Amino acid sequence: MSDIVVGVGASHSTLMNTHWDKVVHTGRAERFRDALGEARDAVAAAEPDIAIIIGSNHFRGFWLDMIPPFTLGVGEVLGAGEAKTPKGPQRTDQEFARSLAQQLIEAGTEVAISARLQIDHGQTHAIQYLLSGLEIPVVPLVINVFAAPLPRLDRCVQLGRNIADAVRAIGGDRKVAVLASGGLSHQLPWPADWRDPHGDDEEFLVEAWLNGRGDWERYDQRRREIITAARPVLFPEFDERFLADLEKGELARYGTFTSEDLEKLAGNGGQELRTWLTMAAALDFAPGRNLAYSPMPEWLTGMGVGVIEPAGVS
């Protein structure tokens, strides 16, 4: 029987890779970076055989021509490589991934599958920092958090619980890490609803999201110009409360929120917290450790790192 041995939640931002020289709050930035290293060490100490990475995709692997609520990479996994993140083929365990997909279907979560999945910094940021120097194969699980209608948060909680059951049902006695990438609070300069863009920038973004398959790099420079020109909007009080609830093992209550509730409290980028809820549910909402919280307006994001270790795992 396989089992989950550690869970990690960590914010991501490509601006961390490309805009370090723009940082004013250097101490906050270093605290977050150091916490990523501490989380990486917690993963290494648990000695997992495989890592399930739950993250989002910022329209570099999925486009508006088709975006399932949940997609599991069961074959080739390719990093998009934007903004100095890992590029090209990633180490995988296709046998485990396909068994996981089958078990999730049996448990009642109808995940889509991809035999050639392109992931972006919504997943590769975790590979770059949380798995640095570790030769661990990955199984990416992509949650749609940007193209409405979004999966309900309680469905993400159920997905996490089903991941735990599915892992236990898979033979081979593997140890599994579950890594969540995304959040915390932030507001992206994207259309409030892709179906109703306003202004040239929003119309450009919707065009890129619809037509980017096989050609996403053509749109990327202007996309990044729109992002880097955005006014930072963070919600530190929400972020600190969320991380305090992680420490108390009380993240399950966020499963009752609607998408509208979450956006009001944490911005449209806060929808990525579905990844943390899914991870925490897979760890049965055990109390965790808040390793760092750094509100980083230079990266447009409240940056946090937390670790959950099941009972018996030090």
Side-chain angles (χ1 to χ4, degrees):
M1 181 181 72
S2 300
D3 211 353
I4 296 171
V5 294
V6 67
V8 175
S11 303
H12 61 238
S13 173
T14 56
L15 299 182
M16 176 180 169
N17 287 356
T18 61
H19 285 62
W20 190 272
D21 61 338
K22 303 292 194 298
V23 168
V24 175
H25 305 94
T26 306
R28 293 181 187 174
E30 291 176 346
R31 184 160 61 250
F32 173 72
R33 183 182 58 190
D34 291 346
L36 288 178
E38 188 176 345
R40 178 264 178 212
D41 291 345
V43 173
E47 299 182 336
D49 301 299
I50 193 164
I52 299 171
I53 302 182
I54 307 170
S56 55
N57 193 293
H58 306 77
F59 299 101
R60 293 186 182 88
F62 290 87
W63 290 270
L64 290 176
D65 60 359
M66 181 170 296
I67 301 183
F70 310 120
T71 304
L72 198 68
V74 299
E76 187 179 8
V77 175
L78 304 170
E82 82 285 8
K84 302 181 181 179
T85 56
K87 182 176 184 178
Q90 303 299 305
R91 182 184 295 267
T92 62
D93 184 333
Q94 296 182 15
E95 177 187 359
F96 179 89
R98 292 170 184 176
S99 296
L100 181 64
Q102 183 64 46
Q103 292 295 335
L104 285 173
I105 293 290
E106 295 297 329
T109 298
E110 290 79 10
V111 293
I113 61 168
S114 174
R116 183 177 293 120
L117 180 62
Q118 179 161 290
I119 56 177
D120 64 19
H121 71 274
Q123 311 262 342
T124 54
H125 200 273
I127 294 172
Q128 185 173 23
Y129 291 99
L130 300 179
L131 299 180
S132 176
L134 304 178
E135 299 297 325
I136 300 173
V138 300
V139 176
L141 174 60
V142 181
I143 298 179
N144 170 31
V145 301
F146 292 127
L150 308 181
R152 294 193 330 236
L153 279 87
D154 63 332
R155 288 289 291 160
C156 295
V157 169
Q158 188 59 53
L159 169 61
R161 296 190 187 281
N162 287 349
I163 287 171
D165 290 341
V167 167
R168 285 190 289 267
I170 296 173
D173 198 28
R174 294 177 178 88
K175 293 188 289 185
V176 179
V178 180
L179 312 180
S181 182
L184 298 171
S185 71
H186 57 296
Q187 182 70 27
L188 295 166
W190 288 1
D193 189 324
W194 63 269
R195 296 164 290 194
D196 185 27
H198 296 278
D200 291 344
D201 284 349
E202 291 193 2
E203 290 177 0
F204 168 81
L205 288 171
V206 172
E207 178 189 347
W209 298 348
L210 179 61
N211 299 318
R213 187 176 299 278
D215 199 23
W216 67 267
E217 290 169 302
R218 179 163 67 92
Y219 299 95
D220 211 48
Q221 181 176 344
R222 184 173 171 189
R223 278 180 44 136
R224 288 189 63 79
E225 290 171 354
I226 293 170
I227 293 291
T228 56
R231 179 176 66 89
V233 179
L234 310 182
F235 301 83
E237 290 184 2
F238 170 86
D239 294 340
E240 290 170 353
R241 185 166 63 250
F242 184 86
L243 292 170
D245 287 337
L246 177 141
E247 290 195 305
K248 293 182 288 187
E250 296 180 0
L251 288 185
R253 71 184 189 88
Y254 293 85
T256 66
F257 285 25
T258 65
S259 294
E260 291 75 18
D261 294 333
L262 193 55
E263 181 160 351
K264 185 180 298 184
L265 292 167
N268 58 9
Q271 303 292 358
E272 291 180 329
L273 289 172
R274 284 169 169 79
T275 68
W276 289 60
L277 289 186
T278 304
M279 177 275 295
L283 275 291
D284 199 26
F285 292 108
R289 292 186 287 131
N290 172 17
L291 301 185
Y293 173 61
S294 298
M296 294 300 301
E298 299 94 334
W299 301 339
L300 306 181
T301 305
M303 309 293 286
V305 184
V307 172
I308 300 177
E309 294 157 326
V313 177
S314 59

